Amino acid sequence: MNESGTGTTAKPVEERLRAALAARAHSVGPADLRPLRPPTGPVRSRRVLVRRAVAGVLVLAAVAALVFLSVHREPARPAEPARSPHPPTGTPAPVPRPVNPSTTQPSPSARQP
């Protein structure tokens, strides 16, 4: 491109481009511009609404956790007394004696030959 003050002549493409940009800049005037419309609707942004929704959900979760922990707790029971791993020692149980086969009598419901 042509730099100002160098004394070199501009190329035809550069001259046409400058002329087109200048014409476009001069074609826009104050009558073509319009002021921005004032904002309509609520001033609150989405961020504020999202923050409030998240805060509400967190509060509900905290309340639900407190209710759950306070309702589902079992009452404190004292620990059962410790038991010995060995069986209790006391009087030994009587040992059964073997029955003599000659003294056994047949039952009345047994078959007789």
Side-chain angles (χ1 to χ4, degrees):
M1 289 197 160
N2 185 13
E3 295 182 25
S4 61
T6 59
T8 60
T9 59
K11 295 181 183 177
V13 175
E14 291 178 10
E15 289 176 12
R16 289 178 60 196
L17 182 60
R18 286 182 185 165
L21 290 174
R24 181 69 178 154
H26 291 301
S27 69
V28 177
D32 297 325
L33 301 176
R34 60 186 165 131
L36 294 174
R37 283 193 289 160
T40 59
V43 179
R44 294 181 184 156
S45 66
R46 281 187 153 182
R47 287 182 183 177
V48 173
L49 296 175
V50 169
R51 285 180 189 166
R52 286 187 179 179
V54 168
V57 168
L58 290 175
V59 167
L60 286 176
V63 169
L66 287 174
V67 168
F68 179 76
L69 292 175
S70 65
V71 170
H72 289 290
R73 282 192 181 165
E74 293 182 13
R77 296 184 314 183
E80 294 182 14
R83 295 184 181 166
S84 173
H86 303 291
T89 56
T91 58
V95 178
R97 296 182 186 174
V99 179
N100 196 354
S102 63
T103 60
T104 57
Q105 296 183 5
S107 68
S109 62
R111 283 186 152 184
Q112 307 255 341

